[in-house]
Amino acid sequence: MPSGETTTQNDTPLADPAEIRRAMEYYADRGWTDGLPVVPVTESYLAEFLATTSRDPDEVLMPMPQLNRQCTVRLAAINAALAGCRPDYFPVVLAAWESLTREGYATRGIWQSTTGTAPLLIVNGPVRGRIGLNSQGNVFGSGFRANATIGRAIRLGAINALGLRPHQLDQATQGTPAKYTACIAENEEESPWPALHAQFGLDPSDSAVTAMIIRSCLHIEARHTTVPEQLALDITGTISRTGALIHETISALVVLSPEHARLFSRAGWGKADLSEFIYQHAVRSRAELAAVGKDAVARQTRWRLPADHPDAVAQEPPDDPDAPVQLIVSADAIQIVVAGAPNAGVSSIVETFGPVDRAPMVVKVEEKK
Amino acid sequence: MADGILLERAGVPAVSICTGSFLLPAQAMARAYGFGGFEFATVPHPIASLDSQQIEARARDVLPEVLRILGLES
């Protein structure tokens, strides 16, 4: 209704709000939600989502044979609609599922794990502007429908298509707030470097989604330094915190604010220089690891545990307990994107799951012409 | 949790052992395989932080339950 007009009896809405509430309660009662209300989905509304892709509705996006389940294009569309996506967001949701499947941890069962990970989606390219994805201020926060609902579409798919409900097949000890939704866009316009998708072979005019499996999102406050080595060490110290050490080595996504990215760029550093610096400096001494009971690794899983644990790989006491132990397996374990407002020296470390030593899974968004 | 069910389906008698903390997800897994009556043997939680003797004690304590589920005389 245009502003300034008054309501008349003829403006009475066609839908009865009580009926809408009844539909929402029905979805909640069936356990088809993440705890928040969902959008009721009809066949005709589902058709609007499926019309945005040339893919077969029965095509399997993510197989999960150990659970007797799978996520198809149709199930992904239903859950995107439930999540509150607009139909034109759906090509991004499809690329997200494909990236998650290729990333590999989800299909190997990480979403059932006690660690309690969540998917993080990073979107690049012109689709960001077309559907209103936020890449600037409050990029990890609330307030933007595309970010909020695209991330949520994956969670609802995990619950409804794959059957990963908490207290049942989802065994997360605590989980993470990112399990509601976690989708950011890269602030390519205020980055001094190539965007993530261009870095891994796509054209900058393409749109892409890169999915990662994450546990924590930690923030870096460094508002006053102008020395790249100081800022890089501050970041490295956060990445190499002992609490993050599940496995023998760790991996991370560094989400730099434009101000921090420019600090490095002005000093002549590229993304690869920062990744390499972090790789070289992410160390703890054997004594530091022993002090927290993580100086050895388990025989099969290579998880970190105390040297006197019955499952520990036997090792000689070190000649020098202060000798550094490398905590990252290669510079590829550290990826870098730029996001957020250009208003402060504040950045984030996203702790990605597992000892990653390969390029991230960048998947092109296929928009139907 | 799924392995025991798959072994049983393949004709190999099997018992899956988990700690009590994992019984609910184990039962959810059994239902996902259409085998809601699959019986799990449970031991007290935790396991990861036990020493060798404590682990052996857990194994000894659960053995009668494993034999019972297998249908063997203990």
Side-chain angles (χ1 to χ4, degrees), chain A residues 65-66 68 168-169 171 309-310, chain B residues 1 22 25 29 32-33 48 50 52:
Chain A
Q66 74 275 25
N68 247 353
Q168 297 179 38
L169 292 174
Q171 304 167 65
H309 191 280
Chain B
M1 294 167 182
F22 288 93
M29 178 68 93
Y33 277 84
L50 301 187
S52 299

Side-chain angles (χ1 to χ4, degrees), chain A residues 104-132:
Chain A
Y105 274 120
T107 49
R108 294 204 298 276
I110 195 60
W111 289 347
Q112 294 159 255
S113 164
T114 49
T115 295
T117 59
L120 169 71
L121 313 177
I122 304 146
V123 185
N124 282 100
V127 75
R128 296 167 306 144
R130 281 203 289 275
I131 65 173

Side-chain angles (χ1 to χ4, degrees), chain A residues 2-352:
Chain A
S3 61
E5 290 187 15
T6 53
T7 305
T8 68
Q9 275 198 318
N10 292 337
D11 295 324
T12 304
L14 292 172
D16 177 355
E19 284 300 307
I20 296 172
R21 279 198 299 276
R22 199 178 64 80
M24 285 164 51
E25 291 298 337
Y26 175 81
Y27 282 86
D29 290 345
R30 298 296 294 262
W32 291 344
T33 82
D34 52 4
L36 295 168
V38 293
V39 175
V41 184
T42 57
E43 281 291 342
S44 59
Y45 191 43
L46 173 62
E48 291 184 44
F49 284 75
L50 294 174
T52 66
T53 178
S54 51
R55 298 174 85 152
D56 183 338
D58 292 327
E59 181 187 341
V60 175
L61 293 169
M62 181 179 280
M64 202 66 91
Q66 74 275 25
L67 300 180
N68 247 353
R69 296 289 190 106
Q70 57 192 15
C71 185
T72 61
V73 169
R74 186 194 315 278
L75 290 171
I78 292 169
N79 284 285
L82 285 171
C85 288
R86 287 194 330 227
D88 58 334
Y89 301 174
F90 189 49
V92 177
V93 174
L94 284 173
W97 277 109
E98 191 170 333
S99 178
L100 279 164
T101 300
R102 284 164 54 180
E103 198 277 343
Y105 274 120
T107 49
R108 294 204 298 276
I110 195 60
W111 289 347
Q112 294 159 255
S113 164
T114 49
T115 295
T117 59
L120 169 71
L121 313 177
I122 304 146
V123 185
N124 282 100
V127 75
R128 296 167 306 144
R130 281 203 289 275
I131 65 173
L133 273 163
N134 181 32
S135 66
Q136 299 173 314
N138 209 37
V139 69
F140 283 108
S142 56
F144 297 86
R145 180 177 174 182
N147 302 63
T149 61
I150 290 170
R152 190 187 187 206
I154 303 298
R155 172 58 42 208
L156 291 178
I159 292 170
N160 294 320
L162 304 175
L164 289 161
R165 293 189 169 79
H167 300 191
Q168 297 179 38
L169 292 174
D170 179 343
Q171 304 167 65
T173 307
Q174 295 187 323
T176 156
K179 288 181 83 167
Y180 281 101
T181 183
C183 175
I184 65 172
E186 186 165 18
N187 188 345
E188 299 173 20
E189 292 69 21
E190 294 181 283
S191 169
W193 297 317
L196 185 68
H197 67 316
Q199 192 186 338
F200 291 99
L202 291 185
D203 192 272
S205 65
D206 291 331
S207 294
V209 180
T210 307
M212 298 183 181
I213 300 294
I214 72 164
R215 173 63 208 272
S216 302
C217 186
L218 311 164
H219 84 294
I220 305 278
E221 287 278 348
R223 296 162 185 259
H224 304 102
T225 182
T226 57
V227 180
E229 288 81 3
Q230 288 179 347
L231 179 56
L233 283 174
D234 210 359
I235 291 168
T236 307
T238 302
I239 289 173
S240 52
R241 71 184 181 92
T242 57
L245 287 164
I246 310 171
H247 301 95
E248 188 171 10
T249 62
I250 48 187
S251 60
L253 170 73
V254 182
V255 182
L256 290 177
S257 63
E259 187 172 314
H260 278 164
R262 279 200 287 270
L263 189 160
F264 286 118
S265 172
R266 272 198 305 271
W269 291 39
K271 284 184 177 181
D273 299 308
L274 180 55
S275 292
E276 181 66 25
F277 182 98
I278 294 169
Y279 165 54
Q280 296 289 343
H281 290 81
V283 296
R284 293 274 169 192
S285 70
R286 182 70 70 83
E288 284 178 297
L289 295 171
V292 298
K294 292 186 175 177
D295 50 332
V297 293
R299 289 192 193 94
Q300 296 294 326
T301 61
R302 307 295 291 179
W303 284 28
R304 285 204 166 270
L305 36 64
D308 60 357
H309 191 280
D311 196 28
V313 174
Q315 57 185 359
E316 293 296 319
D319 295 333
D320 176 9
D322 294 324
V325 176
Q326 192 79 41
L327 299 183
I328 293 176
V329 74
S330 91
D332 287 335
I334 304 296
Q335 297 300 330
I336 296 161
V337 296
V338 177
N343 61 6
V346 174
S347 290
S348 296
I349 302 303
V350 178
E351 293 180 330
T352 46

